[in-house]
């Protein structure tokens, strides 16, 4: 296995299943308050160029629970790629720390960080992808449905970093993935072609909400304006309005459908308050599983 976790596609289907299985085992240990300290006396540097709640809290809590020490380096601390070159930061930080988790704007910076780091690097989100999130999502659906076979997952909204990681998962596990949103906001063509070429899953772009959600096992959404695009939020609100996940849309699936969102949610925009609070909404299980999925990822990097 490569010793970084940058993309879902860096791993085989068996390796991904191994991580999900391990996540379940580690979650059980955590729930039972068993002692589990694979990172005793080790340190994790967490570099954040963007804000975060879940990623920061789950990595810090998880790594600390597993016996280590996690160090938070916020947007104003080390100035990665601004105050200092990414490759210099990589070599300096990896001399102090056993592992690096980073949330960056540029995906190329993430690749550069991994290239020059002597310690494993875990991708905690870039403008391009968010692989830890999608591992937690897969774990959550597996827990709720008991399997991950041939699911129809309909994503409503912007073809962003979340979608790219979903597409990478779709190149490993068979599913029907629909990305439904306004024209001009589709996921990156190269990633779509990669999924189509592997032929493991089927992918569809849609602008028709009713047909997109029909038969969906999961409806997933994310903010219409991601970090780094917040100045476009007002304009995007008009463009994306028809793609809001509300109770009417949820009732059009003809199925028992789960609602998911990576969070943070902007209630009243991409999703209504009612859907967030509904019994079919598993957004907080999803958030909880971030920690267990990531703990498994970090442990796997040292296997
Ligand atoms: N889902 C997620 O990554 O949340 P944060 O941005 O709060 O870390
Ligand atoms: N697409 C969102 C995900 C947040 C976890 C963003 O990049 O801001």
């Amino acid at each position: 296995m490569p010793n970084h976790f940058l993309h879902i596609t860096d791993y085989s289907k068996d390796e991904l299943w191994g991580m999900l299985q391990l996540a379940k085992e580690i979650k059980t240990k955590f729930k039972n308050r068993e002692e589990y300290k694979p990172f005793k006396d080790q340190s994790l540097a967490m570099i954040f160029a963007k804000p975060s709640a879940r990623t920061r809290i789950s990595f810090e809590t998880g790594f600390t629970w597993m016996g280590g020490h996690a160090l938070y380096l916020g947007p104003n601390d080390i100035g990665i790629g601004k105050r200092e070159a990414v490759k210099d930061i990589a070599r300096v930080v990896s001399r102090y720390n056993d592992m690096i988790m980073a949330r960056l704007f540029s995906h190329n910076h993430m690749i550069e960080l991994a290239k020059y780091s002597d310690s494993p690097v875990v991708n905690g989100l870039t403008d391009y992808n968010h692989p830890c999130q999608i591992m937690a999502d897969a774990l959550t659906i597996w827990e709720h449905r008991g399997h991950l076979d041939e699911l129809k997952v309909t994503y409503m909204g912007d073809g962003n970093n979340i979608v790219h990681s979903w597409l990478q998962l779709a190149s490993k596990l068979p599913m029907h993935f629909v990305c439904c949103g306004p024209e001009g906001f589709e996921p990156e063509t190269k990633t779509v072609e990669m999924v189509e070429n592997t032929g493991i899953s089927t992918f569809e772009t849609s602008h028709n909400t009713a047909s997109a959600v029909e038969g969906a096992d999961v409806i997933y959404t994310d903010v219409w304006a991601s970090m780094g695009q917040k100045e476009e939020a007002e304009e995007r609100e008009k463009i994306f309005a028809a793609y809001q996940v509300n109770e009417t849309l949820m009732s059009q699936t003809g199925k028992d459908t789960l609602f998911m969102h990576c969070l943070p949610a902007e209630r009243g925009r991409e999703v209504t308050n009612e859907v967030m609070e509904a019994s079919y909404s598993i957004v907080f299980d999803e958030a909880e599983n971030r920690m267990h999925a990531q703990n498994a990822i970090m442990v796997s990097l040292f296997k």
Side-chain angles (χ1 to χ4, degrees):
M1 290 220 296
N3 66 342
H4 301 297
F5 187 79
L6 305 183
H7 315 93
I8 302 269
T9 43
D10 297 339
Y11 292 87
S12 69
K13 180 180 175 178
D14 287 348
E15 287 168 337
L16 294 170
W17 269 114
M19 286 184 211
L20 293 176
Q21 185 62 52
L22 182 62
K24 270 197 177 178
E25 290 164 21
I26 297 178
K27 181 173 180 177
T28 304
K29 289 185 204 296
F30 182 82
K31 295 273 179 195
N32 295 337
R33 292 291 185 260
E34 278 174 48
E35 189 167 297
Y36 180 62
K37 304 220 175 294
F39 293 115
K40 190 172 179 305
D41 296 332
Q42 295 197 26
S43 65
L44 168 73
M46 306 190 300
I47 302 174
F48 284 91
K50 295 179 175 182
S52 167
R54 279 142 293 272
T55 306
R56 189 251 163 110
I57 299 165
S58 57
F59 268 102
E60 183 165 339
T61 308
F63 200 79
T64 308
W65 173 66
M66 293 192 291
H69 167 72
L71 192 68
Y72 173 71
L73 301 158
N76 297 323
D77 290 326
I78 57 179
I80 186 164
K82 288 185 189 151
R83 180 171 182 260
E84 200 165 350
V86 175
K87 57 187 173 190
D88 293 352
I89 290 284
R91 285 171 286 191
V92 171
V93 175
S94 64
R95 286 188 188 206
Y96 299 128
N97 301 106
D98 301 285
M99 196 164 358
I100 299 175
M101 190 288 302
R103 165 169 286 192
L104 306 178
F105 285 90
S106 154
H107 194 67
N108 285 339
H109 280 177
M110 185 66 73
I111 307 271
E112 188 179 340
L113 183 67
K115 183 176 169 192
Y116 287 94
S117 170
D118 294 326
S119 303
V121 172
V122 180
N123 176 354
L125 180 147
T126 66
D127 287 345
Y128 173 66
N129 69 348
H130 197 1
C132 292
Q133 178 68 52
I134 274 51
M135 290 298 281
D137 296 343
L139 176 63
T140 312
I141 300 171
W142 185 24
E143 285 176 347
H144 277 266
R145 283 287 182 257
H147 68 89
L148 290 175
D149 303 327
E150 310 285 347
L151 295 168
K152 177 172 177 179
V153 178
T154 299
Y155 175 93
M156 301 293 302
D158 185 27
N160 62 16
N161 42 11
I162 294 291
V163 178
H164 295 147
S165 283
W166 264 105
L167 288 175
Q168 295 207 334
L169 186 68
S171 74
K172 301 287 172 178
L173 304 183
M175 68 180 80
H176 182 47
F177 190 86
V178 183
C179 184
C180 180
E183 244 177 291
F185 294 88
E186 292 83 8
E188 187 207 65
T189 310
K190 240 171 79 183
T191 307
V192 169
E193 283 172 0
M194 181 278 297
V195 177
E196 289 172 344
N197 292 339
T198 57
I200 304 278
S201 295
T202 48
F203 169 74
E204 197 188 319
T205 314
S206 172
H207 308 298
N208 180 324
T209 58
S211 63
V213 301
E214 196 186 339
D217 297 285
V218 174
I219 293 185
Y220 198 115
T221 193
D222 183 17
V223 290
W224 292 334
S226 286
M227 290 178 274
Q229 302 171 329
K230 295 298 180 193
E231 71 288 349
E232 295 171 31
E234 223 170 286
E235 194 192 331
R236 282 176 175 247
E237 192 163 350
K238 293 181 211 123
I239 301 170
F240 283 86
Y243 300 91
Q244 183 189 62
V245 180
N246 51 39
E247 284 176 304
T248 310
L249 190 77
M250 290 300 300
S251 71
Q252 287 171 356
T253 62
K255 227 179 161 166
D256 241 357
T257 305
L258 298 169
F259 171 71
M260 300 181 79
H261 191 312
C262 56
L263 307 180
E266 297 189 11
R267 292 173 189 236
R269 283 186 167 162
E270 75 277 4
V271 59
T272 59
N273 191 48
E274 290 74 24
V275 169
M276 282 288 287
E277 299 297 336
S279 57
Y280 50 71
S281 166
I282 55 169
V283 297
F284 300 111
D285 294 342
E286 195 183 347
E288 178 186 349
N289 277 338
R290 284 293 303 279
M291 185 171 82
H292 307 301
Q294 289 157 194
N295 287 352
I297 290 165
M298 292 191 285
V299 169
S300 302
L301 290 174
F302 283 94
K303 275 188 167 173

